[in-house]
């Protein structure tokens, strides 16, 4: 997302928010402020050039989900939501499917462009696909990095044309000094963060690195100048220890 310091603004064209974060109004306001400021928006970006994601806090019911979606559209002030996700599979099968129907209806009514899920395991996605939805999920946003590769989930998603958005791709800085990470960072003349982001990109994921430091935001996104070779990708895959840095509802009922 946009990060401000004393004199500059660092811009990304994709913004990740959530009802649970309580930041939809702030993020949407920052986007609209930037788009309307010709001194900063020198590229002439318009609303349709920006992608805004937000997420349903809880799977309660169809009605509650529809109200939450409408509230998020209003809170953001953006006119519509580009990608709306069910934030977790908690709540049970019936409520998950009810809430997905709410997302489908929001898409059909123009409040949302695309729908997806977050923190869903294989069984949750399979259940949704088995329900013969009018609209299939396009994204599963889950924690993925070399220390938690979640191969079963990511492979299932890719086989079903569901994009994997990898949150916490930097492992929340918990493994930046791991010997393998430092060794390969030196080999490829990159930072540990760039190595981790590049690993995610080469797996076909969309990494969502997070930082409050402008220079680090720039650096983490600058991963086009090198490619990790196959043997080193396998080495990084082998670091899997099922390290969970946040919540882990992928196996819930």
């Amino acid at each position: 997302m946009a990060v401000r310091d004393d004199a500059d603004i660092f811009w990304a064209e994709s913004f990740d928010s959530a009802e649970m974060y309580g930041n939809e109004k702030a993020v949407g306001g920052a986007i609209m402020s930037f788009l309307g400021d010709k001194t900063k928006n020198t590229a002439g970006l318009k609303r349709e050039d920006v992608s805004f994601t937000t997420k349903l806090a809880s799977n309660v019911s169809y009605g509650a989900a529809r109200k939450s979606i409408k509230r998020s559209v209003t809170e953001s002030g953006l006119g519509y939501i580009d990608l709306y996700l069910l934030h977790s599979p908690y709540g049970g099968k019936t409520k998950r499917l009810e809430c997905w129907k709410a997302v489908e209806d929001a898409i059909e009514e123009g409040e949302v462009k695309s729908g997806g899920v977050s923190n869903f395991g294989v069984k949750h996605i399979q259940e949704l696909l088995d329900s013969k939805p009018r609209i299939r999920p396009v994204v599963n946003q889950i924690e993925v990095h070399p220390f938690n590769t979640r191969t079963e989930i990511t492979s299932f998603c890719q086989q079903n044309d569901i994009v994997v958005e990898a949150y916490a791709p930097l492992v929340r800085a918990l493994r930046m000094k791991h010997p393998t990470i430092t060794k390969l960072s030196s080999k490829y003349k990159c930072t540990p963060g760039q190595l981790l982001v590049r690993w995610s990109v080469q797996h076909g994921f969309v990494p969502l690195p997070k930082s409050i430091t402008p220079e680090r935001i720039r650096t983490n996104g600058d991963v086009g100048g090198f490619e990790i070779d196959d043997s080193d990708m396998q080495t990084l895959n082998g670091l899997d220890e099922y390290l969970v840095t946040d919540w882990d509802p992928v196996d819930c009922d």
Side-chain angles (χ1 to χ4, degrees), residues 7 15 47 65 77 87 109 114-115 150 154 157 159 164 178 189 203 209 212 231 233 241-242 248 251 253:
F15 298 81
R47 168 65 183 93
H87 207 156
E109 292 182 21
S114 299
R150 297 194 191 274
T154 59
C157 287
Q159 289 163 10
V164 174
H178 187 283
K189 296 180 173 57
H203 271 293
I212 60 172
S231 63
M233 284 292 289
E241 58 181 272
Y242 204 85
D248 191 31
D251 291 319
D253 293 333

Side-chain angles (χ1 to χ4, degrees), residues 144-152 154-155 158 171 178 180-181 184 188 195-205 228-243:
V144 183
H145 44 71
F147 299 91
N148 191 351
T149 58
R150 297 194 191 274
T151 304
E152 181 184 10
T154 59
S155 296
Q158 292 174 329
V171 207
H178 187 283
T180 299
I181 299 300
L184 291 179
Y188 290 102
L195 182 78
L196 292 166
V197 169
R198 184 68 203 184
W199 175 89
S200 191
V201 168
Q202 287 185 216
H203 271 293
F205 310 150
I228 305 170
D229 65 38
D230 290 343
S231 63
D232 290 333
M233 284 292 289
Q234 291 304 315
T235 296
L236 289 168
N237 294 343
L239 298 177
D240 193 354
E241 58 181 272
Y242 204 85
L243 174 62

